[in-house]
Amino acid sequence: MVAALHLLCVFSALFLHILASPTSSSQYPGCTSTGAAICCSGLVPVTVTSNNTKLNVREPTNQTVVTEIIQELLQADSTIAAASNIGPQTISGTYKIDATLCFPPNANSKSPPQTVQILCHGIGFDKSYWDIAPGYSYVAAAAAAGYATLAYNRLGLGQSDHPDPIQVVQAPIDVEIQHGLTQLLRNGVMGYPGFKHVVGTGHSYGSIVQLAQNAKYPSDVDAAVLTGFVNNVANLPFTVAANNPAIAALNNATKFAGLPYGYLVHDTMTSVQLPFYRFPYFDNDIFASQYFAKQTYTLGQQFTLPSIYSAAPAFTGPVDIVVGQHDFPFCLGECNFPNDQAAASIPVLYPAASPKSQSFIVPNSGHTINAHYEAPQEFSQINDFLKTNGF
């Protein structure tokens, strides 16, 4: 639930200003117009109640302890998650979420966008994944197709609030934050009556969050787009091991100074390339930019991710599953083996989905599709899917 919804003043001026004079929106604090889209950034207060898990896990004292915890989580016949589970724990609070709302550059009062896509990034990344650089910007591609977007940094990273990384920042609260933001977009913001259609678009862990939202709140979004994902989470331990989770405050003492040691990051460039990038299908400068933009995730998420993973049998909207051909986390490097894993995932996870659902395996791409040369193929397919379904 979202209570007493309001944005910072930058958001309050956003829509009214875009409609009145879109070319001048860059005159307002926090708003920029690049020609591709008009965007404003701010902090969104979201009030949630989440059914978390009380974990018998203390804050690690050093990297050795973190590594040992990850080893136990990944070992065969692991019992650490079950042994650490004390029981359910209700978490209620209002958290500030760092978000960027973008509109097509030609938005005006006579033709406001009717559809907004809420963009949820993967673990270890941030909202910049959706707007990396010219030619690698899903935000720009969506704006060109006539769609607004809301990209946000999940709880515990970027400028969003950083509560307890073990007891609070868990997978269930990520779902509730997504639900809260969706309701905000539906019901209206600062005098703007809200969007007619909301599309949930995720990447990697963000796709798992989107799937969980579809399962728990099947009427939240009109369509779901899951990228960097297929229904094969059994491979994820290989990716976690490759990431070599490192204490954020020790990995980068400047960027993550003061964070509790339950906040983690992917360790090195190799820790990011091995599971997420497929050479030679990416530009090294784009790869470097995403590596240095890396962000935090938590021990709480590592322990509780399995708790939110389930099919969404009550969701009846159209679904699009898009994955890179050489995705490692979900396909171990080949998503066409032993069959088209994207297509095979839809009837299992979304048995009641619209018959207009689609899937696409992006050729010559790794897991972080937006950062590979073939990103424009992904962007075109998703927006064509939305047009085909009337959005």
Side-chain angles (χ1 to χ4, degrees):
M1 297 292 294
V2 179
L5 293 177
H6 65 283
L7 301 178
L8 296 182
C9 59
V10 59
F11 270 23
S12 69
L14 170 65
F15 191 77
L16 295 176
H17 222 31
I18 289 174
L19 296 191
S21 180
T23 58
S24 64
S25 64
S26 61
Q27 299 173 12
Y28 289 77
C31 298
T32 60
S33 177
T34 63
I38 301 170
C39 301
C40 285
S41 297
L43 298 177
V44 184
V46 181
T47 299
V48 298
T49 297
S50 178
N51 296 318
N52 277 22
T53 299
K54 181 68 174 177
L55 294 173
N56 185 21
V57 177
R58 294 182 178 180
E59 181 181 344
T61 55
N62 55 50
Q63 182 61 47
T64 301
V65 174
V66 167
T67 300
E68 190 274 333
I69 291 173
I70 298 299
Q71 285 176 326
E72 286 199 47
L73 280 170
L74 301 182
Q75 77 179 35
D77 197 29
S78 175
T79 61
I80 186 175
S84 301
N85 186 337
I86 295 175
Q89 173 178 234
T90 300
I91 299 293
S92 296
T94 299
Y95 302 100
K96 294 187 290 293
I97 300 300
D98 178 15
T100 299
L101 183 61
C102 295
F103 284 84
N106 60 347
N108 59 66
S109 58
K110 293 182 179 180
S111 59
Q114 298 297 303
T115 299
V116 62
Q117 298 185 52
I118 182 168
L119 308 177
C120 187
H121 59 82
I123 275 182
F125 300 95
D126 67 1
K127 64 180 179 175
S128 72
Y129 175 77
W130 302 104
D131 190 22
I132 298 173
Y136 298 88
S137 173
Y138 183 72
V139 168
Y147 301 117
T149 55
L150 180 79
Y152 72 98
N153 284 335
R154 284 194 311 275
L155 189 65
L157 62 103
Q159 296 303 308
S160 295
D161 282 344
H162 288 71
D164 188 309
I166 296 173
Q167 306 300 341
V168 177
V169 187
Q170 297 183 1
I173 206 168
D174 287 335
V175 179
E176 299 304 329
I177 294 288
Q178 173 96 355
H179 170 62
L181 288 169
T182 302
Q183 294 304 301
L184 185 155
L185 294 169
R186 284 278 193 202
N187 297 329
V189 181
M190 298 302 292
Y192 175 62
F195 292 90
K196 182 178 180 180
H197 301 295
V198 180
V199 175
T201 302
H203 173 255
S204 191
Y205 175 68
S207 291
I208 294 176
V209 170
Q210 183 57 61
L211 172 63
Q213 181 188 23
N214 296 146
K216 187 172 183 179
Y217 303 106
S219 63
D220 262 12
V221 299
D222 300 289
V225 179
L226 279 56
T227 73
F229 167 85
V230 297
N231 184 36
N232 192 350
V233 295
N235 297 327
L236 290 181
F238 296 105
T239 293
V240 175
N243 291 149
N244 192 24
I247 293 172
L250 301 181
N251 182 270
N252 189 326
T254 301
K255 185 174 182 179
F256 303 118
L259 287 183
Y261 281 11
Y263 279 98
L264 312 174
V265 292
H266 303 328
D267 190 17
T268 66
M269 281 190 164
T270 302
S271 304
V272 173
Q273 180 187 344
L274 195 160
F276 299 149
Y277 287 79
R278 186 62 174 247
F279 185 79
Y281 305 124
F282 63 88
D283 180 279
N284 282 321
D285 289 338
I286 295 296
F287 166 66
S289 74
Q290 282 293 279
Y291 171 75
F292 289 114
K294 71 180 181 180
Q295 270 291 343
T296 50
Y297 51 99
T298 70
L299 275 177
Q301 290 167 326
Q302 294 292 304
F303 273 86
T304 60
L305 188 156
S307 71
I308 68 168
Y309 192 84
S310 70
F315 184 78
T316 59
V319 176
D320 191 21
I321 294 185
V322 183
V323 68
Q325 176 186 352
H326 298 297
D327 187 285
F328 184 85
F330 293 93
C331 302
L332 284 184
E334 182 47 73
C335 288
N336 286 304
F337 177 84
N339 52 20
D340 183 331
Q341 294 194 43
S345 296
I346 295 176
V348 176
L349 296 176
Y350 292 95
S354 164
K356 291 186 177 181
S357 296
Q358 297 181 18
S359 65
F360 181 48
I361 295 179
V362 183
N364 300 333
S365 178
H367 180 65
T368 52
I369 311 170
N370 292 12
H372 283 72
Y373 292 131
E374 299 303 323
Q377 284 199 53
E378 175 203 23
F379 302 162
S380 295
Q381 190 277 336
I382 294 171
N383 290 312
D384 287 347
F385 158 78
L386 294 177
K387 296 294 184 185
T388 297
N389 280 280
F391 300 112

